[in-house]
Each structure stands twice: as structure tokens, then as C-alpha cells.
Amino acid sequence: MPTLTVYCSSSSRVDAVFHAEAEAVGARMAEAGYSLMYGGGDIGLMGRVARAVHAHGGHVIGVIPEALREVEGVAYEACDELIITQTMQERKSILFTRTDGFLVLPGGFGTLEEFLEVLTLKQLHYHDLPIVVLNTNGFYDPMVTFFEHLYATRFARPNCRSLYHVAASIEDAMAYLAAYQPINVGQKW
Ligand code: AMP
């Protein structure tokens, strides 16, 4: 069964449209036969996705550092597999290595950091897995604009656009994942 790592918000305070889309993502992933690999939390969009995967018969793997589980008490204990790591680094490495692709939903600094890390590693050829950004309600439009600024000012090469896909809908994201073929964008410079 293929596994998809989902990065998304730990905030429960975001608009209802984001909660609804996170649930729809979980449902669609389970239906498409993807296991969910994610940060193991039961908060914000993270909890929504995980619960929706379960509600639709899917498999959930959570990876959470001990400190977040014990101190913050935010783990989704119903995960089919809940992997407790000693450090955040160890957790990130499992989320990164035991997967077939990355799906980025709206999120804050944690999500942005996770997205930029897998993007940067792909740019440097450490992996060639698909990276999809789900642009719910145009949430990521300012980031796309900023990325265009990077290309225009030559801080990144325009062919980096092909390292990720910004999806307008869940179906768009799923179609991209299903059809994905690794491409070589060459050396960074
Ligand atoms: P953020 O976008 O800042 O809300 O951070 C969410 C992302 O960072 C998720 O994809 C998680 O992998 C990770 N993360 C941040 N905070 C937590 C938390 N309290 N519990 C579990 N994972 C978290």
C-alpha cells in the first residue's frame, strides 16, 4: 500500500473551509488506497485528516517526538502505528524516508519548514518523490508569488517549478500523484 506523508496545520482555530478540506483529503486518501504518514497529532488539520482516514477505513501512521506526546498530550493515540521518537530530527527523518510522496495542506511555520525541507532536498537530488501543495482557497497564492520573485531575481532557477505541483483541488492533487514520473532538473546551478 503506498504511503503519503501529509504536512499540515496544528491549529484548530483556522476557518471551517480548511477543516472541511482536510477531512475530504483524509477520505480521498483512504479511498485511493494511500496510508497516511504524518506528525501524529490530534490537533488542528492534522487530527482532521487522521480521523477522516480512519473513518473511511484507511491506515494511519503517526510519528511524534516523546516530548510532544508527553508534555503537550497532543498525540492521536488511535493511530494504527504510533512511532515515538526521541528527537524532532528523528521524527522528520522517518516522515521523510518511509513514504512515497508528500502532500502539503495549509499550515503555519511547522508546515512551511517541512515543505521547504523536502523541496530543498529534492532540489539537491536526495529524493525524487512527488511534492504536492494543496492550494485550498488560494491559501498558498502569496507563497507562489514569492517563489516567482525568487525565479525573477535569479535566487532560484525557474526549472525548480517542476519540483513541486500546486494543486487547485484534491482531484488535481490525486491525478498528479497517480501520474507522477520523476524528472531530473539537473544541477542546482
Ligand atoms: P504548524 O504548521 O506550525 O501548525 O506545524 C504543523 C506541522 O509541524 C505538522 O505537519 C507537524 O508535523 C509538525 N507539528 C507542529 N506542532 C506539532 C504538534 N504539537 N504535534 C505534532 N506535530 C506538530
Side-chain angles (χ1 to χ4, degrees):
M1 184 186 268
T3 300
L4 203 50
T5 292
V6 173
Y7 298 129
C8 63
S9 177
S10 59
S11 171
S12 301
R13 304 168 75 180
V14 299
D15 285 353
V17 63
F18 300 111
H19 290 272
E21 181 112 307
E23 284 182 358
V25 164
R28 188 69 183 85
M29 277 179 64
E31 185 190 296
Y34 286 106
S35 284
L36 167 68
M37 168 86 89
Y38 84 119
D42 193 16
I43 44 177
L45 303 187
M46 301 172 71
R48 294 283 179 150
V49 176
R51 286 170 178 274
V53 168
H54 267 161
H56 292 81
H59 186 82
V60 176
I61 308 160
V63 189
I64 192 161
E66 197 168 18
L68 277 186
R69 184 191 187 205
E70 287 179 6
V71 181
E72 292 193 28
V74 295
Y76 179 47
E77 301 288 341
C79 284
D80 299 292
E81 251 186 277
L82 186 60
I83 302 170
I84 316 291
T85 64
Q86 291 305 306
T87 64
M88 185 60 97
Q89 282 315 111
E90 198 191 333
R91 179 241 216 143
K92 282 168 61 176
S93 131
I94 293 173
L95 288 177
F96 170 72
T97 47
R98 284 183 43 183
T99 193
D100 299 293
F102 304 96
L103 179 58
V104 184
L105 307 190
F109 294 125
T111 303
L112 290 178
E113 190 259 356
E114 291 168 324
F115 166 52
L116 289 175
E117 181 174 39
V118 293
L119 176 58
T120 308
L121 291 172
K122 189 171 180 181
Q123 183 184 26
L124 295 172
H125 306 287
Y126 282 94
H127 72 88
D128 59 6
L129 298 172
I131 302 174
V132 186
V133 176
L134 184 56
N135 195 16
T136 308
N137 236 17
F139 176 80
Y140 279 114
D141 285 349
M143 184 181 79
V144 171
T145 301
F146 185 72
F147 280 15
E148 290 306 315
H149 173 64
L150 293 181
Y151 304 135
T153 52
R154 295 182 296 283
F155 281 89
R157 285 172 58 191
N159 62 2
C160 286
R161 286 192 197 97
S162 57
L163 295 172
Y164 54 88
H165 175 64
V166 180
S169 66
I170 297 172
E171 284 320 308
D172 177 358
M174 288 294 155
Y176 176 81
L177 290 167
Y180 181 74
Q181 297 288 337
I183 44 139
N184 189 340
V185 294
Q187 295 303 112
K188 185 176 176 188
W189 298 117

